[in-house]
Amino acid sequence: MDSYTKQELISLLLVEKKRSQEFEEKYVYEKSLRIKAENILSDLRKKHGELHQQVEREDENFVNKLINKIMKVKDDKEKLKKQLLIEEEYINENLVKQLQRLKLERQRLENEISVVKDSNDHIKKDNYLEIQDIDYDYFTNRSKVNEIMNDQSIDRESTVTDRSTLS
């Protein structure tokens, strides 16, 4: 019973409900048969008197058996009702347990999503800081290169000026 799906459980409930209805229909049918049998019995008494006393006893036995069957069906119906209530309670307990498991799984997934989100935010921040460092390094290096280039240009001019004075 542990591995039934919700649809299977619903199907089981419908089958049990149908059985209960069948038992009720049998009970009504057998009750109508009993009434018919009692009417037949009354007619036989009126029409046939002493000759049919033996038949009357047989009919009474038949009616008693029918009543016993009806009572048995009624008892079976009560047993089925009790069984259905037990099974319904069991199914409800399992559904509650499944719901609790699903809630826990949802919470776990939400926690995982939160962790991934935090990690993603941290990575974005690290990437931003790295880009800032690269930009700073680039501009710092560019500035040094420009300074060196300027120094070399000044050195060349001074060398050219020194040569011209020498000549």
Side-chain angles (χ1 to χ4, degrees), residues 69-99:
K69 285 182 180 180
I70 290 170
M71 296 307 290
K72 185 181 183 315
V73 167
K74 188 175 180 181
D75 289 344
D76 289 347
K77 180 183 170 187
E78 288 301 316
K79 287 178 185 175
L80 277 175
K81 277 184 180 179
K82 288 177 183 176
Q83 184 181 357
L84 279 173
L85 287 174
I86 290 169
E87 288 179 8
E88 183 179 3
E89 185 176 324
Y90 178 79
I91 288 168
N92 286 338
E93 287 173 4
N94 282 337
L95 288 174
V96 166
K97 287 176 185 176
Q98 276 185 325
L99 182 62

Side-chain angles (χ1 to χ4, degrees), residues 5 13 21 37 40 44 47 49 56 61 83 86 99 102 105 121 127 131 133 136 140 157 165:
T5 64
L13 281 175
Q21 288 175 342
I40 290 171
L44 286 174
K47 293 179 184 176
E56 184 179 312
N61 287 338
Q83 184 181 357
I86 290 169
L99 182 62
L102 288 173
E105 179 65 13
D121 288 346
N127 285 344
I131 289 171
D133 285 347
Y136 177 78
T140 303
E157 286 178 11
T165 26

Side-chain angles (χ1 to χ4, degrees), residues 89-116:
E89 185 176 324
Y90 178 79
I91 288 168
N92 286 338
E93 287 173 4
N94 282 337
L95 288 174
V96 166
K97 287 176 185 176
Q98 276 185 325
L99 182 62
Q100 288 171 343
R101 279 187 290 236
L102 288 173
K103 284 180 179 179
L104 287 174
E105 179 65 13
R106 180 181 178 188
Q107 183 63 41
R108 185 188 67 77
L109 289 173
E110 285 175 351
N111 289 342
E112 283 184 23
I113 288 171
S114 176
V115 166
V116 168

Side-chain angles (χ1 to χ4, degrees), residues 12-167:
L12 285 174
L13 281 175
L14 291 175
V15 167
E16 289 302 324
K17 184 176 179 182
K18 185 177 179 183
R19 285 184 187 165
S20 177
Q21 288 175 342
E22 288 173 356
F23 276 107
E24 286 180 29
E25 290 172 5
K26 283 182 182 180
Y27 175 77
V28 169
Y29 176 72
E30 288 178 0
K31 186 175 180 180
S32 71
L33 283 179
R34 187 177 112 209
I35 291 170
K36 286 180 184 178
E38 289 173 351
N39 287 339
I40 290 171
L41 185 62
S42 175
D43 289 345
L44 286 174
R45 284 183 188 150
K46 290 177 187 174
K47 293 179 184 176
H48 300 292
E50 203 174 290
L51 284 174
H52 293 283
Q53 283 180 0
Q54 183 181 1
V55 173
E56 184 179 312
R57 284 188 293 270
E58 290 175 4
D59 284 346
E60 284 178 19
N61 287 338
F62 172 76
V63 169
N64 286 335
K65 287 179 183 177
L66 199 58
I67 289 171
N68 289 338
K69 285 182 180 180
I70 290 170
M71 296 307 290
K72 185 181 183 315
V73 167
K74 188 175 180 181
D75 289 344
D76 289 347
K77 180 183 170 187
E78 288 301 316
K79 287 178 185 175
L80 277 175
K81 277 184 180 179
K82 288 177 183 176
Q83 184 181 357
L84 279 173
L85 287 174
I86 290 169
E87 288 179 8
E88 183 179 3
E89 185 176 324
Y90 178 79
I91 288 168
N92 286 338
E93 287 173 4
N94 282 337
L95 288 174
V96 166
K97 287 176 185 176
Q98 276 185 325
L99 182 62
Q100 288 171 343
R101 279 187 290 236
L102 288 173
K103 284 180 179 179
L104 287 174
E105 179 65 13
R106 180 181 178 188
Q107 183 63 41
R108 185 188 67 77
L109 289 173
E110 285 175 351
N111 289 342
E112 283 184 23
I113 288 171
S114 176
V115 166
V116 168
K117 235 180 181 178
D118 290 346
S119 174
N120 192 21
D121 288 346
H122 182 72
I123 289 171
K124 282 180 180 178
K125 184 178 178 182
D126 286 349
N127 285 344
Y128 177 77
L129 290 175
E130 280 184 40
I131 289 171
Q132 293 299 318
D133 285 347
I134 290 170
D135 283 350
Y136 177 78
D137 288 348
Y138 172 78
F139 287 114
T140 303
N141 288 338
R142 187 72 186 153
S143 157
K144 286 180 182 178
V145 165
N146 284 339
E147 197 176 298
I148 290 171
M149 292 298 286
N150 282 337
D151 284 349
Q152 285 179 355
S153 171
I154 290 173
D155 282 348
R156 259 193 243 131
E157 286 178 11
S158 96
T159 308
V160 169
T161 310
D162 286 346
R163 280 189 191 158
S164 70
T165 26
L166 286 174
S167 357

